[in-house]
Amino acid sequence: MMKKTTLMILILILTLTCFAQEIKKKPLKAAALSFIIPGGGQFYNESYLKFGLVCALEGSLIGLTIYHHFKGEDYYDKYKMTENEQDYNKYIDYYYKKQNDLWWLGVTIFLSTVDAYVDAHLFNFEEKKRDIHFKFDGKSIGFIYNF
């Protein structure tokens, strides 16, 4: 099952790369922009709705991470002064929330980077799609590609 899925994905990727000869956007540049700047690759690829969504999501996660970090530090400072176990437990809670936020931020950055890379490859897909035609004739299937 896994081999079939891998083979199908490989065939799909090879097929798409055969028709993506004329790339108007640079995929590595889009990926780098998306990795460095929240939504940068999506903006470069002119996917403005995705840019807004990625920017809002990554910005929210960065804000939550900072908030949880400072709240945890406040409780840790209280614990150091009073040695109250409840303050230490609150510090631990905020520490785990911060770690969770960082994990989700990393996943979001990774997925937005992959999205920007793929979007740059498929930037002129609609133009190329017009050149490709399948022809169904009886029991045979034909494939026409206009150059």
Side-chain angles (χ1 to χ4, degrees):
M1 179 69 176
M2 189 66 162
K3 289 181 181 180
K4 288 181 183 179
T5 306
T6 306
L7 183 62
M8 292 294 286
I9 291 171
L10 183 62
I11 289 172
L12 179 66
I13 290 171
L14 288 174
T15 305
L16 289 176
T17 56
C18 288
F19 299 115
Q21 297 165 354
E22 241 180 78
I23 298 173
K24 293 183 181 179
K25 298 289 183 178
K26 297 178 181 173
L28 289 177
K29 181 177 182 180
L33 284 170
S34 189
F35 185 75
I36 296 169
I37 303 166
Q42 285 72 18
F43 188 81
Y44 172 74
N45 289 331
E46 301 173 18
S47 297
Y48 301 114
L49 180 60
K50 284 183 186 179
F51 162 72
L53 291 172
V54 168
C55 219
L57 183 59
E58 287 185 24
S60 298
L61 288 169
I62 290 170
L64 272 173
T65 303
I66 292 169
Y67 173 77
H68 289 145
H69 172 74
F70 285 118
K71 285 296 272 187
E73 290 297 313
D74 288 344
Y75 278 107
Y76 189 72
D77 290 342
K78 284 182 186 178
Y79 168 72
K80 283 173 52 177
M81 290 172 37
T82 62
E83 293 189 17
N84 184 353
E85 190 174 329
Q86 288 179 339
D87 290 335
Y88 184 75
N89 290 337
K90 287 281 193 179
Y91 161 72
I92 293 297
D93 288 342
Y94 280 107
Y95 173 79
Y96 285 125
K97 287 179 182 180
K98 178 182 74 170
Q99 295 298 354
N100 191 31
D101 296 338
L102 287 171
W103 189 87
W104 281 111
L105 180 62
V107 168
T108 304
I109 290 171
F110 173 75
L111 291 176
S112 70
T113 301
V114 170
D115 173 67
Y117 183 81
V118 171
D119 267 0
H121 267 293
L122 299 176
F123 184 73
N124 61 343
F125 181 73
E126 288 300 320
E127 296 169 15
K128 290 294 182 184
K129 189 169 79 172
R130 287 186 216 117
D131 297 336
I132 302 170
H133 303 285
F134 286 104
K135 182 179 177 184
F136 299 99
D137 187 27
K139 294 183 180 181
S140 63
I141 298 175
F143 180 72
I144 301 169
Y145 181 71
N146 298 327
F147 293 96

